[in-house]
Amino acid sequence: MSDIIQLLPDHVANQIAAGEVVQRPASVVKELIENAIDAGATSIKLLLKDAGKTLIQVIDDGKGMSPTDARLCFERHATSKIKDAKDLFNLHTKGFRGEALASIAAIAHVELKTKQEDQELGTLIKIEGSEVSSQESVSAAKGTSIAVKNLFYNIPARRNFLKSDTIETRHIVDEFQRVALAHPDITFLLHHNNNEVYHLRKSNLRKRIVAVFGTRMNEKLVPIEEQTDLVSIRGFVAKPEFAKKKRGEQFFFVNNRFIKSSYLNHAVVNAFEGLLDAGSHPSYFLFLEVPTTSIDINIHPTKTEIKFDNEKALYAILRATVKHGLGQYTIAPLDFDRNSTFDTPYDYSKKDQPSVPPITVDPNFNPFKTEPSSFTPETTSEPPKSTPAVPKTGSSSPTPSTPKSFTSNYKKDPGQWEALYTDMSSSEPTSSAPLFESTYQEPLFDDSRETETGKTFQIQKKYLLSTIKSGVVLIHQSLAHQRVLYEEFLENITVKEASSQQLLFPVSISFPSSDIEIIYSIKADLESAGFMFEEFTKESVVIRGIPTSITESQITFILEQLLDDIQMEVPDASFSHFDVMAKSFAKSLAIKTGTSLSSKEQENLVNNLFSCKEPTTSPLGKPIFKTLTLQEIDGIFNK
């Protein structure tokens, strides 16, 4: 039998390696920017066309490369960052694998121009599919400029798997933000299709965060800092009142390298215990410095996961540090149900208690006597224990609470005491206590609830149980409402002309520059849904009209949910962005688990659900209800 194992050609091996290194244009951006940082650059410029599919160019002012290094850097396993295996556990650089440029050159057209400071001329190298097409000496500025064109040109199947330009741009911006936050001492510029998205000047960490996420972020930040033998922690967390419903602005950096860690995230969330409303997520920008020998960053191809030697101690230190930082800046646990209007005003907190007003009473008064009693009013500062604190009816000396008709009729003819009662109906009511108490007392609570048993029941404020001829149907109320709203929104956007309501005062909402660009790219679709925009700036969107189905207080949450869904790649092939918008609106506005529904609301929801075209599944494909027949129910008890 002949041999079947053979060595792969270099270009095939490079394409296989590219599958691990280059997943999408954002992967190329990450590798090239990290190389520029390792080269000691103080200014880095990123140029994009068509979300990186046509062009990704990174220009830096680093130390550059010699002609030999420029040619050698495109070979597999070629790197200047490590020399032996021990260096993997003592890393101070970012790009160290030696496969990035070789993998990129295998699936794109690459043009490299580089020059060292002590050289008169630079080097220009052009590569197509791992093959060097030309190398020559050219005039160039100090540093390196590398342009990656026509990504995946020789792997069309891989190119077809790329998402829309909006989604791919979002991934690139995410990588750009992570690197920019880790290095506030470097100037970064980002241009997409000749439009400037970011221009981040050299600054400190706080100013860099504000420059990336908008000026409103400045008021949200609480500084965090702690120094221990195991770890040094610095950075910022956002105040609890600015927590969001999505996990957006959450950044961990270990030795200036962005990582993802659900374990450390749990420590931060635990530090906010008692400060956050249900379903909210805190924002944070935390930098951890640990000894390089205590971590292993080579356990994941993208190097975004790290293994720590002492995770439990790190968890406890991080939790205590964040908790201490929140307490140090007088951010105490909040009572979300407390009404501040019941608080005693500060000006009155130290004043003396008010004195009891004097009360005038006639203890010998009898309304059935034919002659008025001679009574000299007594003034007392305290009411007798047996006497109520309200004026008695029929006092010979009328008090401010005594009706005028009461006094005048009594003075005309004291013997006609019936007039005391007959004229009371024409007297005007006063703000004091009533003179006569009625035997009827209104109930304290409205007891007008339905007493009849309907066909629908709510279970744990989460599910609806409805009876049908063949048995019962169990419905998830939130998913059912999502389906109803989704079909209504989709019909209003695509079939009907969406109605819009004009706002009395335009609303300005702040977003990061990258989110502003996404909103602007789907502006026409949002206007079709009923939104009306007045102005777009680099940091905010001014809205002057909204769909009639939403309220002004829901605008921010709905747009954030829409941006999150676009970023999470909700399928959008059917109706362009209309489908994504309808799903986001439905998910944002649907009733949540824990909402109590009346019998009529339950029946309306059930009827509306089964009037939908697709009542079985939610907009995101989850089952909405489960039917149990009488036979299935009998089978439970007849086992």
Side-chain angles (χ1 to χ4, degrees):
M1 190 173 182
S2 61
D3 299 332
I4 59 175
I5 296 177
Q6 59 183 354
L7 291 174
L8 291 174
D10 286 344
H11 71 279
V12 176
N14 287 338
Q15 289 183 1
I16 295 174
E20 295 182 0
V21 178
V22 185
Q23 300 174 358
R24 55 185 356 130
S27 306
V28 177
V29 171
K30 177 179 182 293
E31 297 290 349
L32 297 184
I33 292 182
E34 287 183 348
N35 283 340
I37 293 173
D38 288 339
T42 60
S43 177
I44 299 175
K45 188 173 184 179
L46 173 61
L47 306 178
L48 303 173
K49 284 187 179 180
D50 302 328
K53 299 173 185 176
T54 303
L55 172 67
I56 300 173
Q57 184 173 7
V58 174
I59 305 171
D60 67 70
D61 61 350
K63 56 188 176 183
M65 291 181 284
S66 66
T68 303
D69 289 342
R71 181 67 177 266
L72 189 61
C73 70
F74 290 102
E75 299 294 330
R76 291 191 67 194
H77 310 304
T79 179
S80 63
K81 317 298 174 59
I82 60 175
K83 294 183 179 179
D84 53 42
K86 293 181 181 179
D87 294 337
L88 291 173
F89 300 96
N90 191 24
L91 286 171
H92 298 278
T93 58
K94 297 182 181 294
F96 59 87
R97 286 177 297 178
E99 292 184 359
L101 293 180
S103 300
I104 294 170
I107 54 173
H109 298 149
V110 179
E111 183 177 300
L112 173 68
K113 185 186 293 185
T114 183
K115 174 183 172 295
Q116 292 180 328
E117 188 174 10
D118 57 351
Q119 293 178 336
E120 293 184 1
L121 294 176
T123 302
L124 174 63
I125 296 179
K126 295 182 180 180
I127 299 179
E128 298 179 3
S130 297
E131 297 293 331
V132 178
S133 60
S134 67
Q135 179 175 350
E136 57 183 314
S137 298
V138 295
S139 176
K142 175 206 168 188
T144 301
S145 171
I146 181 168
V148 179
K149 304 175 182 178
N150 305 321
L151 192 64
F152 298 122
Y153 81 99
N154 54 354
I155 312 179
R158 188 69 179 274
R159 189 179 179 90
N160 292 336
F161 276 100
L162 295 178
K163 305 298 181 181
S164 65
D165 286 359
T166 302
I167 295 175
E168 295 298 342
T169 302
R170 181 68 206 181
H171 283 285
I172 292 174
V173 169
D174 285 344
E175 294 291 350
F176 180 84
Q177 288 178 349
R178 293 165 184 172
V179 178
L181 289 173
H183 300 275
D185 56 333
I186 299 177
T187 299
F188 287 92
L189 293 93
L190 171 58
H191 289 250
H192 184 215
N193 292 338
N194 298 322
N195 296 321
E196 183 181 285
V197 181
Y198 284 109
H199 187 180
L200 308 176
R201 294 178 173 83
K202 178 181 178 180
S203 60
N204 56 33
L205 177 58
R206 189 183 193 110
K207 290 182 179 179
R208 176 57 56 88
I209 294 173
V210 171
V212 172
F213 294 101
T215 53
R216 290 192 61 187
M217 179 61 71
N218 191 36
E219 60 177 312
K220 305 178 184 180
L221 300 178
V222 176
I224 301 294
E225 189 170 0
E226 186 64 48
Q227 187 80 31
T228 67
D229 294 337
L230 292 178
V231 61
S232 173
I233 302 174
R234 63 182 177 87
F236 297 90
V237 296
K239 296 176 182 177
E241 58 264 33
F242 297 106
K244 295 187 175 183
K245 295 295 182 181
K246 64 173 187 176
R247 302 173 185 266
E249 297 150 1
Q250 296 183 341
F251 295 89
F252 277 117
F253 297 90
V254 175
N255 296 351
N256 274 0
R257 182 187 295 274
F258 172 79
I259 68 160
K260 297 177 181 178
S261 174
S262 57
Y263 188 70
L264 296 182
N265 177 73
H266 189 273
V268 176
V269 173
N270 206 353
F272 277 85
E273 185 178 5
L275 299 173
L276 298 178
D277 204 355
S280 298
H281 303 280
S283 300
Y284 52 79
F285 310 86
L286 296 175
F287 291 76
L288 285 67
E289 294 289 336
V290 299
T292 55
T293 56
S294 66
I295 58 173
D296 184 2
I297 62 177
N298 205 31
I299 63 173
H300 194 275
T302 61
K303 306 299 180 286
T304 55
E305 295 181 11
I306 290 182
K307 183 174 179 60
F308 297 93
D309 284 348
N310 40 16
E311 282 188 335
K312 292 184 178 179
L314 197 61
Y315 180 99
I317 295 173
L318 180 60
R319 178 181 178 276
T321 301
V322 175
K323 206 172 187 66
H324 174 70
L326 294 173
Q328 187 176 5
Y329 286 85
T330 65
I331 301 176
L334 304 175
D335 184 2
F336 291 95
D337 298 325
R338 184 179 66 84
N339 191 341
S340 60
T341 59
F342 294 116
D343 294 346
T344 302
Y346 180 77
D347 294 341
Y348 290 87
S349 60
K350 297 183 179 180
K351 286 191 175 184
D352 298 332
Q353 294 296 326
S355 59
V356 180
I359 301 175
T360 304
V361 294
D362 179 9
N364 299 320
F365 173 72
N366 188 349
F368 299 100
K369 287 184 179 181
T370 59
E371 296 180 359
S373 62
S374 57
F375 165 65
T376 302
E378 297 179 1
T379 302
T380 175
S381 60
E382 291 186 8
K385 294 183 179 179
S386 61
T387 305
V390 295
K392 284 194 173 184
T393 59
S395 175
S396 60
S397 178
T399 62
S401 63
T402 308
K404 294 180 181 180
S405 61
F406 181 96
T407 308
S408 61
N409 289 333
Y410 180 74
K411 285 183 179 180
K412 288 179 182 178
D413 190 353
Q416 296 180 358
W417 55 270
E418 293 88 352
L420 300 176
Y421 300 92
T422 57
D423 285 353
M424 284 302 293
S425 60
S426 63
S427 62
E428 296 179 0
T430 63
S431 59
S432 302
L435 297 175
F436 305 101
E437 291 187 1
S438 173
T439 55
Y440 172 77
Q441 191 173 7
E442 292 187 3
L444 295 176
F445 303 97
D446 182 13
D447 202 20
S448 60
R449 297 184 179 180
E450 299 172 348
T451 56
E452 297 182 0
T453 303
K455 295 183 178 180
T456 307
F457 308 91
Q458 190 175 28
I459 302 175
Q460 298 294 328
K461 298 181 180 180
K462 184 176 183 180
Y463 300 102
L464 300 180
L465 185 66
S466 182
T467 58
I468 55 178
K469 290 184 179 180
S470 59
V472 295
V473 58
L474 189 63
I475 304 171
H476 193 294
Q477 66 180 32
S478 180
L479 297 180
H481 199 207
Q482 286 183 29
R483 165 53 63 176
V484 173
L485 292 177
Y486 168 73
E487 294 198 2
E488 288 180 0
F489 281 127
L490 202 58
E491 183 179 8
N492 290 336
I493 295 173
T494 57
V495 180
K496 300 178 181 178
E497 185 176 352
S499 56
S500 178
Q501 55 181 333
Q502 190 92 4
L503 297 176
L504 184 60
F505 300 102
V507 176
S508 178
I509 306 176
S510 297
F511 288 105
S513 300
S514 56
D515 290 345
I516 297 289
E517 186 177 2
I518 295 177
I519 295 175
Y520 188 78
S521 67
I522 59 174
K523 176 175 176 286
D525 296 339
L526 288 171
E527 288 175 342
S528 300
F531 283 94
M532 299 173 65
F533 298 95
E534 185 171 289
E535 184 183 7
F536 279 84
T537 67
K538 285 189 176 182
E539 295 185 352
S540 64
V541 177
V542 180
I543 299 174
R544 59 182 174 88
I546 58 176
T548 55
S549 54
I550 70 174
T551 61
E552 184 176 336
S553 61
Q554 296 172 323
I555 300 175
T556 303
F557 177 66
I558 288 176
L559 290 180
E560 287 180 349
Q561 183 69 58
L562 177 60
L563 291 170
D564 192 38
D565 288 340
I566 292 176
Q567 182 180 358
M568 296 302 292
E569 302 179 10
V570 173
D572 59 347
S574 302
F575 300 92
S576 182
H577 289 105
F578 291 141
D579 194 41
V580 182
M581 287 163 51
K583 290 175 181 176
S584 296
F585 292 169
K587 187 165 55 174
S588 304
L589 300 176
I591 56 175
K592 303 297 187 288
T593 297
T595 303
S596 180
L597 302 178
S598 65
S599 298
K600 289 184 178 179
E601 291 172 334
Q602 296 171 26
E603 292 180 4
N604 287 338
L605 180 57
V606 173
N607 293 334
N608 291 336
L609 171 65
F610 290 103
S611 298
C612 293
K613 297 179 180 178
E614 296 290 340
T616 57
T617 57
S618 72
L620 297 180
K622 296 181 180 179
I624 295 178
F625 63 86
K626 171 68 176 177
T627 302
L628 293 175
T629 63
L630 289 175
Q631 291 78 6
E632 291 175 332
I633 297 174
D634 291 339
I636 297 175
F637 300 99
N638 294 333
K639 289 182 179 180

